[in-house]
Amino acid sequence: MSVTNWAGNLTFGAARVHRPSTVDAVREIVAGAERVRVLGSGHSFNDIADTPADLVSVAGLPAEPRIDAAAGTVTVAGGVRYGELATFLDAEGHALHNLGSLPHISVAGAVATGTHGSGAALGSLATAVAGVELVTAGGELVRLERGDPDFAGSVVALGALGVVVGVTLEVRQSYTIRQHVFEHLPRKVLDARWDEIATAGYSVSLFTTWAGDTVDQLWLKLADGEEPDGFGAVPATRPMHPIAAMPAVSCTEQGGVPGPWHRRLPHFKLEFTPSSGEELQSEFFVARQDAVEAFAAVERLRHLVTPVLQISEIRVVAADDLWLSPTYGRDSVALHFTWIKDAERVAPVVAALEEALAPLSPRPHWGKVFHHAARPSRLADFLALRDRLDPDRKFSNAFVERHLAAE
Ligand SMILES: Cc1cc2nc3c(=O)[nH]c(=O)nc-3n(C[C@H](O)[C@H](O)[C@H](O)COP(=O)(O)OP(=O)(O)OC[C@H]3O[C@@H](n4cnc5c(N)ncnc54)[C@H](O)[C@@H]3O)c2cc1C
């Protein structure tokens, strides 16, 4: 039976697909294989998880979440989805600092690519990781913890170091979020008041088609004590989907109704298909301070972008120290594009965007559609770590060879 990614734009070329239900079985498969890639929940849009050899899904490992209240952490199987972990944590009075736009993705797969939500003070989901447990090339179990010299290379690792069977994440006390949606933010206000808008709440997202003189929607996810400011945009009078023409039934509750963090921070509910469902995605990160220049660069390409675009989302992410992270060392604005599902038409537009953003040193989201990734500044450290853990490159694939080649 062929296995595809979530978007259906990629059929994995694996000769064998394994779905082990114990860590010992993972160790045995890895030890006996020549080349291995790990599959999370398959939400990436490119060949990052693909292999012609052995593909291992860890979705069948028991979740087994264990809270360490003294350390302020939870340890859980790598294949567990954020939505399930969040439900467990909330019932225990705990929370994560942030979530992505959808709760359907696996923890290990999300942190492997630097997946993020929004929030000027909030790092990507990978920044909550305090420890990883890996099955490495020989089938050994290796644990790396924050503070270990190699730790910062082992979290956003693109699946190139081993199979993450366990992840330890920092938790905090459960909290409440209110979600307010505004429509038609005057475009000029976005430029003039960018810093204020980017920091206007716990988590801030803007949705735009880059057409016209307004930004379609401003979503504010507010913590206790924060007040909504629409910056001249109009409060929405009905629940909104980021693509205004789509029904909002799949979206988490809006209208300023307080609710638990995990039912407000994702845009989409766990029990529904997120986003549009028929799409490709790209995302580029530039320095937050360069946002206004980046918006102008995209708008100059409107004639190319609009015909293949469903919606764009603008988010902010705090800097981190994780070697391959797209937000390494740089407070960032993330420009996201939900494209129509037509790879041939989208590819040249992505190339044009990469060229237009080049003066701002853009970094791509590792899990989305892109052509070129600038050499990460800590690539040499990462490759040295890989040489230690996986000298024969058992966990490599064409994607890794293309984008993480030594000089
Ligand atoms: C509808 C939709 C919405 C999205 N929203 C967001 C968003 O809000 N923010 C954002 O930043 N991204 C978003 N993404 C992108 C998505 O979060 C990333 O592509 C993420 O990596 C997907 O996680 P996954 O478990 O599906 O990983 P996969 O796509 O299965 O794999 C991604 C990488 O992780 C590796 N990997 C997976 N599991 C393991 C493991 N156990 N051990 C070692 N390596 C592993 C794989 O080998 C591969 O290299 C979205 C994607 C979709 C489809």
Side-chain angles (χ1 to χ4, degrees):
M1 193 187 79
S2 64
V3 180
T4 65
N5 65 346
W6 174 87
N9 66 317
L10 184 123
T11 301
F12 294 105
R16 289 161 295 278
V17 181
H18 307 267
R19 302 183 188 281
S21 53
T22 65
V23 171
D24 280 345
V26 175
R27 298 177 64 181
E28 214 170 292
I29 293 161
V30 170
E34 245 171 70
R35 299 286 290 242
V36 188
R37 283 301 279 177
V38 197
L39 180 62
S41 52
H43 282 80
S44 295
F45 291 87
N46 58 36
D47 61 342
I48 187 169
D50 202 12
T51 177
D54 290 83
L55 190 63
V56 179
S57 160
V58 289
L61 296 184
E64 291 178 341
R66 297 181 308 281
I67 290 173
D68 180 337
T73 60
V74 63
T75 299
V76 69
V80 77
R81 298 191 300 166
Y82 270 101
E84 288 149 14
L85 174 61
T87 305
F88 166 81
L89 284 176
D90 195 56
E92 300 288 321
H94 296 290
L96 299 170
H97 77 296
N98 206 359
L99 289 167
S101 68
L102 77 174
H104 308 68
I105 43 176
S106 83
V107 174
V111 303
T113 62
T115 288
H116 61 95
S118 191
L122 306 175
S124 80
L125 304 188
T127 62
V129 177
V132 287
E133 198 165 18
L134 288 166
V135 173
T136 53
E140 307 87 355
L141 257 188
V142 173
R143 187 171 166 82
L144 287 153
E145 294 189 349
R146 191 178 286 157
D148 293 342
D150 290 335
F151 176 74
S154 66
V155 184
V156 182
L158 317 188
L161 299 181
V163 186
V164 175
V165 289
V167 187
T168 301
L169 300 168
E170 277 174 356
V171 294
R172 53 178 71 179
Q173 213 180 358
S174 190
Y175 54 93
T176 296
I177 294 285
R178 289 164 292 131
Q179 185 162 230
H180 292 264
V181 175
F182 296 85
E183 291 188 86
H184 315 305
L185 175 75
R187 176 64 189 83
K188 282 185 189 151
V189 174
L190 178 63
D191 283 359
R193 301 183 67 184
W194 163 244
D195 278 334
E196 289 168 82
I197 293 170
T199 55
Y202 189 78
S203 170
V204 176
S205 286
L206 294 133
F207 293 95
T208 179
T209 54
W210 308 100
D213 51 13
T214 61
V215 170
D216 302 36
Q217 298 179 36
L218 166 64
W219 288 34
L220 299 180
K221 297 175 193 267
L222 303 181
D224 285 349
E226 293 180 328
E227 288 308 319
D229 179 350
F231 300 91
V234 185
T237 53
R238 62 184 170 98
M240 300 291 296
H241 189 284
I243 302 170
M246 288 193 69
V249 61
S250 59
C251 297
T252 49
E253 188 162 0
Q254 303 163 14
V257 180
W261 58 282
H262 64 112
R263 295 201 177 273
R264 296 292 180 276
L265 291 173
H267 302 330
F268 302 102
K269 294 176 186 158
L270 183 59
E271 56 275 25
F272 284 86
T273 299
S275 200
S276 107
E278 281 293 312
E279 66 198 67
L280 300 174
Q281 296 184 8
S282 301
E283 192 165 26
F284 299 98
F285 301 76
V286 302
R288 202 178 102 195
Q289 73 215 27
D290 293 336
V292 170
E293 252 181 272
F295 302 155
V298 176
E299 277 168 343
R300 282 194 291 275
L301 294 181
R302 239 182 218 159
H303 58 291
L304 297 176
V305 168
T306 309
V308 290
L309 183 73
Q310 301 195 54
I311 196 70
S312 264
E313 181 175 9
I314 300 166
R315 289 179 281 188
V316 282
V317 192
D320 60 58
D321 65 349
L322 303 170
W323 298 346
L324 296 188
S325 165
T327 41
Y328 177 83
R330 188 162 87 171
D331 285 335
S332 301
V333 58
L335 305 183
H336 161 101
F337 301 83
T338 299
W339 307 113
I340 60 168
K341 196 173 160 187
D342 185 336
E344 258 177 55
R345 284 180 64 200
V346 166
V349 182
V350 170
L353 269 175
E354 289 178 344
E355 199 182 323
L357 292 171
L360 305 177
S361 307
R363 298 171 185 165
H365 189 306
W366 290 117
K368 301 190 179 181
V369 175
F370 67 94
H371 303 298
H372 172 73
R375 202 181 147 79
S377 53
R378 301 294 298 272
L379 181 59
D381 293 319
F382 180 80
L383 294 178
L385 170 60
R386 183 178 68 168
D387 283 347
R388 289 194 291 282
L389 290 179
D390 183 17
D392 298 327
R393 300 189 185 174
K394 186 180 265 195
F395 290 103
S396 193
N397 69 353
F399 178 98
V400 170
E401 296 304 320
R402 230 171 28 246
H403 298 297
L404 300 186
E407 256 174 341

